Amino acid sequence: MTAKPVLPTLSEADSNSLTPKALETEAIDVNYSETIDTPANSEDVLLRYDPEAIANHYRSRIFEVWGRLLSIIWKLGFWYWGIWSDRRFARGDRNQRKRAIQLRNLLTELGPAFIKIGQALSTRPDLVPPLYLEELTKLQDQLPPFPNEVAYRFIEEELGDRPENIYAELSRDPLAAASLGQVYKGKLKTGETVAVKVQRPDLCERIGLDIYILRTLAIWANQNFKFIRSDLVAIMDELGSRIYEEMDYNQEGHNAERFQELYGHLKDIYVPRIYWEYTGRRVLTMEWVTGTKLTNLEEIAAQGIDARYLIEVGVQCSLRQLLEHGFFHADPHPGNLLASPDGKLVYLDFGMMSEVKPYQRYGLLEAVVHLVNRDFEGLANDYVKLEFLSPDTDLTPIIPALGEVFNNALGASVAELNFKSITDELSALMYEYPFKVPAYYALIIRSLVTLEGIAINVDPNFKVLSKAYPYVAKRLLSDPSPELRTSLRLLLFKDGSFRWNRLENLLKNAKNSDDYDINKVLDQTLDFLFSERGEFIRENLARELVNNIDLASQSAIAKAQRTIAQWMGVKTKTPVKPVSETDSKNLDHVQRIIAILQETKGFDPMLLVQRVPNLLGKPEVRDLSQQVAGDLAQRAIARLLREMLASDESNPASQNGNSAKPAEVKPFPQLSLPAAFRFDN
């Protein structure tokens, strides 16, 4: 056996890990005696995910494959037998911790693929009992370590020198051990404190065998169970690709740097630095970050950090990952999300990343709009765009079914939205109608479900989708893409009428988004409104302006007449035209919208004033102003004629053919909008 290298070690006081109890777990017998000498040709075949190469590699190893499959079935079956017998003899409560420990040990023995499943379950307090949750959480970074000798050998093979010649210091033992590797705390000779992650031995072989078995089962299930419409093979290929990328630490380093470039500028987000000189395929050296798991609420509270706020930061970051840039962290379990001492959310472990294509991102945004708008026909078409339904699917029976499902899930308002409730309701629908889950969606679901699981642990009433709506509102108002402009138009207009309440809701939610620039939104809105593409909106907006200005002027004139009559002591018989409930609500919405704009951070009305000269030169502005002025004049003339005709009909002298002395024509009073409509208040 190779002698253990002697390295300067960090003191216990300096070795505060990301997980201080990293090694407090029952010992699991893992045989590493044969893993160090894996044949080179076998290793080369399994370095990247190639389903055909993997199938060819294992197709001739019938005994190895069947031995592994039977071992999995036997171990899981034996554990389930214990669960059944506990229920049968009413000892479930007494043995629950014992069964939870058995499950954690079982998943550990079964290897990395099954550990990933356990990690996903460890974030779901709404699905897993507390004792199981406590044990499964240990799978995040408290797995049994492999020998230091193996780790040191990998460091030497990857970095070209012995560890003691590369690092100034290295912790005596790994401080955390996860599914694919274990982490040492070290110090570079230049003084930086680093985390050194070393991959587990024989990883490609073990994961390759499990992926082959699971993919073969997926092929068999798709061929034999017609009720399974989702392409399980494509889903397995997507998952397999991500896991194989995770086994290449060079790829993980590039992922970390790309993540930093895209999201590191967001408020209270922190991404550690990668040290490329000390990084290879099986060894990754990155900046050491001290932090506390988001699930350790007592310790976070003791540091004066608001865990709920950090969850909101994580939700906003995830929205930008999924809907803005499309490059997202597909494994955000508590071991990979830390609260730093200065109150920032630290992202770790960038091995499992995935991407959402632009048309998928816009499709998801449109689906949220249609969901909030309860436009289930639009939502059904979104499912076609997102590849949940084939283009030739008859949507006629699906539209009312979606309405029934989502009306139950939505509740009274967007504040009731809950990702789990929606996915639970939708899962039943997918069995009844020809839905299929596209491969790319599997990792999105995993990411969102994991994040919501962490959020529920922090606050059982936390609603991920409710917190997401301000970002969606901001994107709808500020994104110039044709897809979202169409969604915005559909949201704001119904049957040719402008829905002021929707605009008010969007503006109110959008102003809560940290990077919302109201002046930029106003600039983009004006540019779009007075462009050729904005003609439809201009026509509808002109009609709404005429309605509201006319209503406001009538209201002002009526109030002035009553005030003057009261001042002169004269009773007026002029009937006051009642304001419809719809018009009254619209006026209230307009006033609140103006108030929201004035309260929005960064709003500057002078920017609008400065743009007026340029706008007045646009032919579209002249056409709009002429249309509004013409419609107002037509309404005023029509109203005057109605009053004159009504006056003639009620005048006895006129009815007897006698002419009456013409009334003195008084100048028409100058009109102005009420104070609430002006920006100079």
Side-chain angles (χ1 to χ4, degrees), residues 79-144:
W79 173 78
Y80 185 76
W81 171 262
I83 296 289
W84 182 87
S85 64
D86 287 344
R87 291 175 181 171
R88 177 72 175 78
F89 298 105
R91 57 193 183 199
D93 292 341
R94 187 170 71 251
N95 288 346
Q96 191 177 56
R97 180 175 291 279
K98 175 183 176 182
R99 301 304 177 199
I101 293 173
Q102 286 178 347
L103 178 60
R104 189 246 302 160
N105 289 341
L106 171 61
L107 294 175
T108 301
E109 292 175 14
L110 288 176
F114 292 88
I115 291 170
K116 290 288 183 185
I117 296 173
Q119 288 175 345
L121 289 174
S122 75
T123 65
R124 300 303 307 192
D126 51 335
L127 301 177
V128 180
L131 288 177
Y132 280 85
L133 204 67
E134 181 181 337
E135 290 300 321
L136 292 178
T137 299
K138 296 177 181 179
L139 294 175
Q140 292 161 9
D141 49 22
Q142 299 183 42
L143 294 170

Side-chain angles (χ1 to χ4, degrees), residues 12 38 80 107 211 289 294 342 378 390 422 431 502 518 576:
E12 288 299 320
T38 303
Y80 185 76
L107 294 175
I211 291 290
V289 180
L294 291 184
D342 57 350
S390 62
I422 289 177
Y431 281 105
R502 296 280 176 161
I518 181 61
V576 179

Side-chain angles (χ1 to χ4, degrees), residues 319-459:
L319 289 169
R320 283 158 179 79
Q321 293 174 47
L322 291 170
L323 302 177
E324 193 165 323
H325 299 290
F327 182 66
F328 71 96
H329 197 300
D331 194 22
H333 66 70
N336 295 336
L337 293 174
L338 304 177
S340 69
D342 57 350
K344 292 187 177 183
L345 180 65
V346 182
Y347 277 82
L348 299 175
D349 195 349
F350 301 94
M352 184 172 284
M353 309 293 289
S354 190
E355 296 205 43
V356 188
K357 297 176 182 177
Y359 80 90
Q360 296 163 346
R361 301 200 294 268
Y362 286 122
L364 290 170
L365 278 167
E366 290 173 325
V368 172
V369 172
H370 290 141
L371 183 62
V372 172
N373 207 21
R374 288 176 168 80
D375 178 3
F376 300 116
E377 182 177 356
L379 187 61
N381 284 299
D382 291 333
Y383 279 119
V384 175
K385 293 179 188 175
L386 292 169
E387 301 167 352
F388 283 80
L389 295 168
S390 62
D392 58 349
T393 303
D394 180 13
L395 301 180
T396 306
I398 295 177
I399 293 170
L402 286 171
E404 184 177 349
V405 165
F406 286 114
N407 275 323
N408 292 335
L410 283 169
S413 69
V414 72
E416 300 293 327
L417 287 171
N418 179 283
F419 184 76
K420 181 180 180 297
S421 65
I422 289 177
T423 53
D424 286 351
E425 295 278 358
L426 187 60
S427 61
L429 186 68
M430 286 187 170
Y431 281 105
E432 187 174 352
Y433 296 98
F435 282 86
K436 59 180 181 180
V437 178
Y440 76 88
Y441 192 67
L443 285 178
I444 294 178
I445 288 288
R446 185 180 190 274
S447 177
L448 288 177
V449 166
T450 302
L451 182 63
E452 188 173 65
I454 299 172
I456 291 172
N457 183 73
V458 173
D459 179 2

Side-chain angles (χ1 to χ4, degrees), residues 609-626:
V609 175
Q610 294 170 6
R611 293 208 59 171
V612 168
N614 291 331
L615 288 173
L616 291 177
K618 288 180 174 287
E620 294 86 2
V621 175
R622 291 196 298 270
D623 293 343
L624 178 64
S625 59
Q626 289 172 5

Side-chain angles (χ1 to χ4, degrees), residues 7-34:
L7 284 147
T9 59
L10 299 171
S11 67
E12 288 299 320
D14 292 333
S15 296
N16 294 325
S17 166
L18 305 179
T19 52
K21 297 182 179 180
L23 303 177
E24 290 182 11
T25 182
E26 287 82 5
I28 306 296
D29 291 330
V30 183
N31 183 8
Y32 292 103
S33 60
E34 299 177 0

